[in-house]
Amino acid sequence: MTIEMLLERIQTYVSGEGLEFVKRAYEFSRRAHYGQHRASGEDYIQHPLHVAMILAELEMDVNTIAAALLHDVVEDTDERMEDIRAEFGTEVASLVDGVTKLDKLEFKTPLEEQAENFRKMFLAMAEDLRVIIIKLADRLHNMRTIQHLDDERRLRIARETLEIYAPLAHRLGMWRFKWELEDLAFKVLMPEQYHSLAESIAKQRAEREALIQQVTSILKSKLEEVGLKCDVQGRAKHFYSIYKKMLEQQKELKDIYDLIAVRVIVNTVRDCYAALGVVHTLWKPIPGRFKDYIAMPKSNMYQSLHTTVIGPDGEPFEIQIRTWDMHRTAEYGIAAHWKYKEGGEGDKQFNEKLAWLRQVLDWQRELKDAREFMEALKIDLFDDEVFVFTPKGDVIDLPAGATPLDFAYQIHTDVGHHCVGVKVNGKIVPLDHELKNGDIVEILTSKQSAGPSLDWLNLVKTSAAKNKIRQFFKRQRREENIARGKELIEKESKRLGLDFRALTEESVIEETRRKLNLNTADDFFATVGYGGMTPQLAVSKLKEELLRKAPVLELKRIVPSEESKRRSRAVGQGVSVRGVSNVLVKFAKCCNPVPGDAIIGYITRGRGVSIHRVDCPNVMLYAKEPERLIEATWQSEHAFSLPVDIMVKGADRPGLLSDIAAVVADLRTNIVSARARTTAEGTALIEMTVEIRDLAHLQQLISKVSKVKDVLSVMRVVREKHA
């Protein structure tokens, strides 16, 4: 890629001064990145050049192109934001600043770092939506060249692309970005499934192309015969969309019939409906498979008529009908509508279509927990939508799976708060009823209503509704929330066998609430009380802080010496506890120690001695009560097995669990229980409890299972609870 190639593309829609501005930005970036190389070995300047070219193909303005050329300068070179502002103006500097990644802060987990990056991205989008267009172009080029990265980074970036960036491109209506990001991520995350699907589709290519040619020829001839000027194109479905359909419908490729779609592009909306009539005279439509996105556009501005018909050979295929303006919007989404030209004013309808972004900014400030923020974000970017109606006929679009409560809060916050019942299509339904396309929804309200229930947080689907319910409890019932929060934390602490008083020491609470950006300790408890943070997460955060403060030296003093091993007496179950006899000994379920592990005993209240691994997180907490920790060792001879939990991660495929079970059986190891599930990304998670004789036996088992085909990792599980 050269600057001349970029300028040649830009000059098709930009004048001379704009070209010079872009050229200056290129020279600035080239000098700044001089001597730097990408993982592929090529000069680093190739990356911003390719990003700029992607944006030039969208015909973005020169400030956006310049910002793309400069987007990594501040992060990766000695140049400062002030230098960019002085050289290229405030607008370009603002765009570069919005795209620049966060400084390398010390986060507790990679998830928190990811969440903070997305928070910053959405805040930048609120200022200028061109930021996300540049960011998507940046991610697209990185995905195109991802093969040069190491395995760990490749998997992390691909998973983030599939979970966040591709849905975000869909939400912005940028279809071309969406499908390419999905297919590139699919190829990295599930290479075997990708290549198998690609080979199977390639075998049917000639047959499919012949069908497309036949259908487009018949349709174009008939449309022109009735005087409709049109362009008729055939389009094959993309790999990831086919793979998702196979998973969702539990079908093989041979059973997926609508692998092709025919697109008809005409000049006017009237022509769209006229063309639809022609299509239905040629081929029989399938009932229930017609969608009018012209009358009811999607929230990402997409408009088109969709109909599925029975084709010439008796196989179904989809036909999409749209105008040229609709087609550009469908391909480029928000980028096709950008109005940042001199004197241009924002289109009101355009701003309304992006109302979801304002909602994201509202609720993201309330979600302090990284995991909850990321999950809420994924839901808010979810592909599927349902269109329902108010009794007056207004259309409300909601995510798939939404309930009447989501509808109520979408209408108005007060309507949601005072909801006492709901009618769908004239019939009373429960509040957790799942809404369907075309439902007419009537919310029944009462001013005497006491307000929402905390249980509603489990009923609503949208982040906006969850946020409004939380805000109600936060404002109206603060004292009650504080008391409830303390109660929930104490209950969770007891469930885990942790000391509530130690967890809620002033220094621990203060440091924890500061890290969560909460103003006071009461705010921390209230957040748990109104449902803004789960008690499990709250206890986990408190436990993290307490462990950080716990003196590690105390643990070193507790590890048994050789002399103490000789003095200790056996108390059963193959374990000797120093100075103790005739007492119940139990093995802790949180860490499941086995012979060979360094162990220690904890004197419980009324339940004997609990044996833990020395490195168990719970033991770190018990260091606050050193008098209850006691030396313990394995007896020299033991002829028993103990349960150990292991987690196996792998690429999902038929027979994976049986292959793993066979390896375990070969080692003469008993499987106590096994539970398997599959994530949305196609990763198989298998949790197994196996009976282990000693540490060497466990290590041998992990080594053998790791070698099973498609197994990615095997690890021993430590749980945050004990027996």
Side-chain angles (χ1 to χ4, degrees), residues 301-318:
M301 300 175 288
Y302 177 87
Q303 288 184 287
S304 196
L305 297 177
H306 289 197
T307 184
T308 303
V309 298
I310 302 297
D313 296 331
E315 291 189 359
F317 66 94
E318 185 181 66

Side-chain angles (χ1 to χ4, degrees), residues 502-678:
L503 284 175
T504 53
E505 282 182 0
E506 183 178 352
S507 61
V508 176
I509 286 281
E510 283 300 310
E511 188 60 23
T512 304
R513 68 89 186 155
R514 186 187 65 78
K515 289 178 179 178
L516 293 171
N517 297 320
L518 296 169
N519 294 326
T520 66
D522 281 349
D523 287 341
F524 177 80
F525 290 121
T527 301
V528 177
Y530 70 73
M533 178 170 31
T534 64
Q536 291 81 11
L537 176 68
V539 171
S540 174
K541 293 289 185 185
L542 292 170
K543 181 178 171 183
E544 274 182 25
E545 186 56 32
L546 184 58
L547 287 176
R548 194 180 67 80
K549 293 176 177 294
V552 178
L553 288 176
E554 288 186 28
L555 290 179
K556 292 181 179 177
R557 292 203 301 270
I558 299 165
V559 176
S561 63
E562 289 301 318
E563 182 184 355
S564 68
K565 290 178 185 177
R566 289 193 296 271
R567 292 202 311 264
S568 56
R569 288 180 289 172
V571 294
Q573 296 197 64
V575 171
S576 297
V577 179
R578 181 184 179 187
V580 176
S581 61
N582 299 323
V583 67
L584 176 65
V585 172
K586 297 175 67 179
F587 293 98
K589 292 182 180 177
C590 52
C591 56
N592 285 327
V594 295
D597 286 328
I599 56 174
I600 195 165
Y602 174 71
I603 303 170
T604 68
R605 291 185 172 89
R607 291 183 291 128
V609 175
S610 179
I611 303 298
H612 293 258
R613 284 162 48 191
V614 168
D615 59 356
C616 175
N618 283 319
V619 173
M620 297 290 286
L621 278 178
Y622 301 150
K624 304 290 286 185
E625 303 175 284
E627 70 280 359
R628 296 176 65 185
L629 291 169
I630 188 167
E631 294 179 8
T633 57
W634 297 103
Q635 291 179 351
S636 57
E637 296 180 2
H638 53 270
F640 58 92
S641 297
L642 293 170
V644 172
D645 295 327
I646 63 172
M647 169 69 81
V648 183
K649 292 184 181 180
D652 188 31
R653 66 167 171 84
L656 179 62
L657 179 57
S658 60
D659 288 351
I660 293 170
V663 169
V664 176
D666 286 344
L667 291 172
R668 297 184 179 180
T669 303
N670 183 44
I671 299 176
V672 178
S673 65
R675 176 173 171 268
R677 60 190 174 89
T678 305

Side-chain angles (χ1 to χ4, degrees), residues 119-138:
R119 288 184 199 274
K120 181 179 180 183
M121 185 172 71
F122 277 96
L123 288 169
M125 284 170 63
E127 296 297 323
D128 193 326
L129 277 159
R130 288 175 295 179
V131 167
I132 194 56
I133 298 175
I134 300 172
K135 191 74 176 175
L136 285 169
D138 175 47

